[in-house]
Structure formats: structure tokens, C-alpha cells
Amino acid sequence: MTDMSLQTPAQRWAFSLPRLSYGKWGLRLSAIIYLAVFILVPISVVIIKSFDEGWEGFWQSLANPTVISAIWLTVWTSILMALVNVVMGTLTAYALVAYDFPLKGVFNALIDLPFAIPTLVTGVMLVVLYGPQSLLGDFFKNELGIRIIFAPPAIIIALLFIGYPFVIRTVQPVLEALEPNQQEAAETMGASGWRIFWRVIFPAIRPAMIAGGMLSFARALGEFGSIIIVSGNIPMRSQTATVYLYGQVEGGNMMAASAVSAVLLLVAFGITIAVEFVEARRHASR
Amino acid sequence: MRAVRPHLPIHFFILGAVFLYAGFLIVAPIVAIVQKTFSEGVAPIVATFQDPNVMHALQLTYFLSFGAVIVNTLLGMATAWVLVRQRFLGRRLLNTLVDIPFVFSPVIFGYVMIILFGREGWLTPTLFPIVFALPGILIGKAFVSVPFIIREVQPILASLEREPEEAALVMGASHWTVFRRIVFPNIWDGVLYGIVLTFARAVGEFGAVSVVSGGIEGRTETATMFVFRALNDRNDIGAYSMSLLLGISAVVILVVMNLLRRRIGK
């Protein structure tokens, strides 16, 4: 920008007309106001509200066995989901890229269904499938002694459904972009399939696996629609943080709601920044 | 990587595991709800949709989701443009903010709206209500779908050749003409894809809406809120019918998404 001769004609032209910079500023301001109103304001409100009664009030709202168990349930079910999702999502992405099979297009399209379907509907479908009067629900309860609906397993299944596309859609493009030559070279040199996977494929997709897993984890922390249907909302047993939050808001207990919101936001925010860090490294290494 | 026909045992093992997993996770719940909805014949389903409150909930949902699409399309395109084409202090921060609605629990957002616009709220307007009324639902639906348009348009805009625009400008075309004739046709497919995602997300929104709408039957009740109420009222077929309808509209959205994706070449 310092050397005028390096500027394109358009830039010089733009520079000479003030009318243009109004438009430029108008656009910039509308973008800033849009994101500030929708995103910065809500974050600030949550933080301000949760410190209404200082640190003490904040800690008091959190130091409550119901709150701790709700946050813990949210975190452990989300972590477990993310781990299963990373493995199965990567395997699915691999199958989609590596093999030709009938109806592959339909299967590929089906992967996006959890993006399109309301999560509340996901909850309803799972209750129908695993609920008390269903075939599968009966089987799990009577034959295996596992309660699915109104218990943590239902929460994990709901989160798995919702998180399924995240890992697949981040890993798939990386697999597609892998040079076939590398693999063929390794094959001609006599490397086994297993070795090729660990030495050639896995290092290439690892950052995408981590990014996809973390995205699905962050998404799971805030999930509400499906969980309120499948969890049964039993405090200390199947009540997650967002469901607890919902109860507090409905009951007008704003302090407790704010403190829990602040914790959830902090974790989600940390994850977003971590994902960006991983992505930045991924692009840098390319 | 090149796709091969499965021929080794390991290939069939991987495919089998994937099909089994996706079958249980995605397909089985769909089959279950279709079967259950029709378990008492078609009559109760028809009765559900003849209820004027149910029809109102559906119309309200699609109408307000359309509103959210308009807000996010206009402002989202402007934001994508600013993030790609302009350089200023705070641009990277803005870019980070865009993803927040993906991880910000909608329930929390609904709760923020109550603090801001509820009774004795910080900014409650005196002329018209926001919370427990349609504007609140619209804001909630718009919030949860902020990132989609921006994130679809941004990469297309970034990869666009600048020469045609510059040539047009030099030849005296106005900025608006350049945008309309050169930039817009290029980003249109991406915008459309973003619109579909925005619409799907807005239709399905429940967390923010359930906090902020008050769920007044026939007035502020949306489709997802009807499902929730029907379940609580033990009106199971009603809840399943509406769920199935929302599911079918999700499938339609999916088909459109795939047609568009082929066009964008993603």
C-alpha cells in the first residue's frame, strides 16, 4: 500500500473518491454492528449478570451439588461422544473416500441429515426407538438390564446422532486431497495396508480428526432440544447443564442461570479458539 | 485418494462396521418414527393438521425462519465481504466471533433476551413487546443461524479473481454495477447453499425459542414448541406427526443441499 505504483488502478481510483469510502465504511459498520449486537452483547450480558453479586455470588451459584453434577454429566457425555465420534466418523469418511459401493451418493447425502433435522425431532425419534414401549427399549431393559431412555445412554446416543457429520465433513476433504502416488509408492515398496494407514494416511488426517472432534464436543455442550426429550430431566441423574439452565430461567432464578451460562460459554469459547489454532497449524503445514 | 471396489476382507469389514453404525444411529430412528406415526392409521395425523393452532404454529415457523434468512443473507453477505476485502484493526476478532453461535447454547441466548427485553429488562422497549412475542422468536432464530451465509460466501469471495472487477471499474462502472454484474453471479451458489442451511437451522430452533416465546397456543407457539407441548399433553400421535413433517422438510432441504453442492463443486 505504501508504494503507489504497486496499487491497481481500482485502488487508486477508490482512493480518489470519498463517495466510495462512505460505502466502504457503511459495509464495515454494518458488519461490526451485526456481529456486536448478535454475539458480543449476549456474551457481555452473561458475564455481567453472573457477577451481579460479585465472586462470592458466582461461586455460590456453582457450588451446589445439582449444578456440579449437571455440568459434570454434560462434560463426560460430550467427551465420550467426541471419542466415539472421532473413531466412527473417521472410519465413515474413509469408507466414503476409499471404496465404491452401491447407493454411495444416497449414503453420502444421509450423513448431513443431522444438520437439517431439528434436534428436538431427533429426541422424539430416539424416544420412539428406545422408549419403554418399543422393541429395542424392551430388549435393552429386560435382556441386558440397561436403561437407555431417561438415562445417560440416551443422551450419548442423541449427541452421537447430532455430532455424526462434524468429523466426517472435516476429514473427508483431507482424505480426498491425499495424493494417490504416495500410497502407490508405499505399496510398491511392499508396505502393508496397516503400515500405510499409520505412516501415510493417519498423520495427514490427524489435525482434521482433532478439529472435527472438538467441534462436535463444543456443539454437544450446548445441546438442548434432543436432551430435554430423551433425558427425563432427573436432577443428579440425567439433568444436563442446559436442561438445568432452562429450569432456572423458567423459575426466574437468574443468578444461577448466569453462572452456569458463563461456565458453559467459557468452555465453548476455549474450544473454538483451540479449533482455530489447530486449523491454523493445519493450513500452515500444507 | 482413489476409490476402489472393495475386494479384501478388511474392506468389507470397514464397510460393514460403517453401515451398521450409520444404520443404528441414523436410519433406525427414522424407520421407527415413520412406523409409529402411521401405527393408528392416517386419521389422527389428518386431525392433527386440521387443528388451526397447529397450522398457525407451522405458518409462524416458516414465516419467521424466512425472516431470519432475509436478515442473515443481507447482513451475512456484507459481513463476508468486509471480512475478505477489507483490512482493519479487529478484523480477526470479528472473524472469530462469527463461529460463536455454533457453540453458544441457544437456551443461554434466550435467557439473555429475557434479561435485555423482559419485564424490567435493561432495554425493554415501551412501544411493542419483544419477549413472549414474534420479534423475540425472530431474533432467536436469526441468532442461531448467523454463521452459515458468512462461512459459505467467505471462501468463494476469497478465491475470486479481481481483474474483471478492476477492469469494469476502470471502464467507469459503478461499484453497485460491479457487484451486481460480476461479484454476485459468482457468489450466488454459495449464498443459496448458505440460505438453505440457515433456513434449516432456523426452522429447527427450539432452545432459544422455548425460553423467549412463551409458547402461547395459536399465537407464539412454533412447530418445535408444538411437538414439545404435544408430548407433555400425551398427544403422542400429534407430536409424531409434526416431527415427521419437520423430518420430511429436512429431507427436502437435504436434497436441495446436495443439488447445490454438486453445482458449487464441493
Side-chain angles (χ1 to χ4, degrees):
Chain A
M1 277 297 180
T2 44
D3 190 353
M4 285 293 279
S5 62
L6 281 180
Q7 289 186 345
T8 61
Q11 277 167 329
R12 230 172 296 144
W13 187 82
F15 197 64
S16 64
L17 266 183
R19 186 168 59 87
L20 183 80
S21 57
Y22 286 140
K24 218 169 167 176
W25 272 104
L27 278 176
R28 187 179 300 182
L29 271 180
S30 56
I32 291 173
I33 292 170
Y34 174 54
L35 295 182
V37 166
F38 269 117
I39 294 158
L40 226 42
V41 167
I43 295 176
S44 324
V45 168
V46 169
I47 293 168
I48 293 169
K49 193 77 187 172
S50 57
F51 288 103
D52 249 6
E53 288 170 30
W55 277 100
E56 212 166 302
F58 180 75
W59 286 119
Q60 250 166 27
S61 320
L62 291 179
N64 164 341
T66 314
V67 175
I68 292 171
S69 98
I71 291 179
W72 173 236
L73 179 66
T74 300
V75 170
W76 82 255
T77 49
S78 302
I79 289 176
L80 190 59
M81 178 282 292
L83 292 177
V84 176
N85 194 19
V86 164
V87 174
M88 291 314 295
T90 305
L91 204 62
T92 309
Y94 184 81
L96 276 168
V97 176
Y99 307 127
D100 278 322
F101 52 88
L103 294 179
K104 187 169 159 179
V106 177
F107 184 69
N108 189 33
L110 200 68
I111 305 290
D112 281 329
L113 194 71
F115 279 150
I117 212 159
T119 63
L120 187 83
V121 173
T122 303
V124 174
M125 296 196 306
L126 292 178
V127 170
V128 172
L129 184 63
Y130 296 104
Q133 289 140 25
S134 74
L135 219 70
L136 265 178
D138 267 355
F139 174 75
F140 275 105
K141 191 144 178 282
N142 301 334
E143 305 293 318
L144 304 175
I146 306 171
R147 226 188 135 83
I148 299 221
I149 287 298
F150 307 140
I155 299 174
I156 297 166
I157 296 174
L159 295 179
L160 281 172
F161 184 101
I162 292 156
Y164 195 43
F166 284 90
V167 174
I168 301 175
R169 294 302 185 222
T170 40
V171 172
Q172 203 177 9
V174 183
L175 281 173
E176 270 163 3
L178 277 184
E179 293 283 335
N181 312 355
Q182 255 184 333
Q183 261 182 75
E184 276 158 20
E187 262 167 44
T188 43
M189 286 191 286
S192 72
W194 201 231
R195 251 184 100 116
I196 295 172
F197 179 81
W198 283 113
R199 290 294 178 78
V200 180
I201 300 175
F202 181 69
I205 59 173
R206 192 176 44 201
M209 287 166 67
I210 296 172
M214 286 201 290
L215 277 178
S216 65
F217 175 74
R219 174 74 183 70
L221 288 178
E223 176 48 23
F224 172 69
S226 62
I227 293 179
I228 197 165
I229 302 282
V230 301
S231 77
N233 192 6
I234 309 160
M236 312 287 292
R237 283 244 322 270
S238 65
Q239 190 181 52
T240 64
T242 47
V243 176
Y244 170 81
L245 192 68
Y246 179 70
Q248 298 305 309
V249 175
E250 296 283 281
N253 186 357
M254 297 309 202
M255 270 293 296
S258 303
V260 175
S261 303
V263 171
L264 280 180
L265 266 187
L266 201 71
V267 178
F269 207 67
I271 300 275
T272 323
I273 289 169
V275 170
E276 236 165 71
F277 182 71
V278 172
E279 292 267 325
R281 271 188 42 190
R282 194 169 116 195
H283 289 297
S285 67
R286 243 182 225 168
Chain B
M1 213 171 176
R2 212 174 288 144
V4 295
R5 273 221 160 143
H7 55 272
L8 297 172
I10 179 78
H11 299 168
F12 290 103
F13 176 76
I14 291 176
L15 275 177
V18 167
F19 285 151
L20 207 64
Y21 183 76
F24 256 98
L25 196 66
I26 313 283
V27 180
I30 299 172
V31 174
I33 196 163
V34 171
Q35 187 250 331
K36 193 87 173 188
T37 309
F38 288 100
S39 61
E40 289 172 32
V42 187
I45 304 174
V46 173
T48 300
F49 291 111
Q50 273 170 347
D51 181 345
N53 285 343
V54 175
M55 283 318 286
H56 183 272
L58 260 180
Q59 281 165 2
L60 188 68
T61 301
Y62 287 122
F63 174 69
L64 291 179
S65 302
F66 193 63
V69 165
I70 292 175
V71 171
N72 282 334
T73 304
L74 294 178
L75 289 169
M77 272 163 54
T79 305
W81 176 274
V82 169
L83 289 177
V84 172
R85 292 291 177 89
Q86 299 190 4
R87 290 288 172 273
F88 56 94
L89 195 70
R91 188 186 64 93
R92 296 218 21 210
L93 175 74
L94 276 192
N95 195 32
T96 308
L97 285 180
V98 172
D99 283 328
I100 297 289
F102 279 146
V103 296
F104 198 110
S105 173
V107 178
I108 303 179
F109 186 76
Y111 158 66
V112 166
M113 274 201 279
I114 302 266
I115 296 177
L116 288 179
F117 308 120
R119 244 182 329 140
E120 296 165 31
W122 299 356
L123 301 167
T124 309
T126 43
L127 288 178
F128 58 94
I130 291 183
V131 161
F132 306 131
L134 305 193
I137 306 177
L138 177 65
I139 297 172
K141 283 181 183 298
F143 167 74
V144 295
S145 52
V146 162
F148 294 111
I149 304 259
I150 303 176
R151 288 299 186 233
E152 288 305 323
V153 174
Q154 239 178 334
I156 306 180
L157 217 46
S159 67
L160 222 54
E161 294 277 343
R162 297 289 283 274
E163 279 79 16
E165 286 171 56
E166 281 155 9
L169 284 175
V170 171
M171 288 191 284
S174 75
H175 269 76
W176 171 238
T177 312
V178 170
F179 178 78
R180 201 163 43 92
R181 301 284 289 272
I182 299 175
V183 179
F184 192 71
N186 280 305
I187 62 171
W188 173 237
D189 281 342
V191 172
L192 215 56
Y193 191 69
I195 286 177
V196 175
L197 290 174
T198 305
F199 188 72
R201 182 71 187 83
V203 167
E205 174 47 25
F206 176 67
V209 170
S210 67
V211 173
V212 94
S213 84
I216 308 158
E217 259 173 79
R219 287 208 12 235
T220 64
E221 188 178 65
T222 63
T224 47
M225 294 202 65
F226 166 76
V227 173
F228 190 61
R229 176 170 66 86
L231 278 181
N232 284 333
D233 294 349
R234 310 244 158 226
N235 171 14
D236 284 353
I237 294 290
Y240 300 156
S241 309
M242 182 62 98
S243 297
L244 191 61
L245 184 73
L246 290 171
I248 292 169
S249 85
V251 171
V252 172
I253 286 167
L254 211 63
V255 172
V256 176
M257 265 165 74
N258 273 280
L259 292 177
L260 285 171
R261 193 154 46 198
R262 220 161 287 161
R263 260 174 54 182
I264 312 171
K266 236 166 84 164

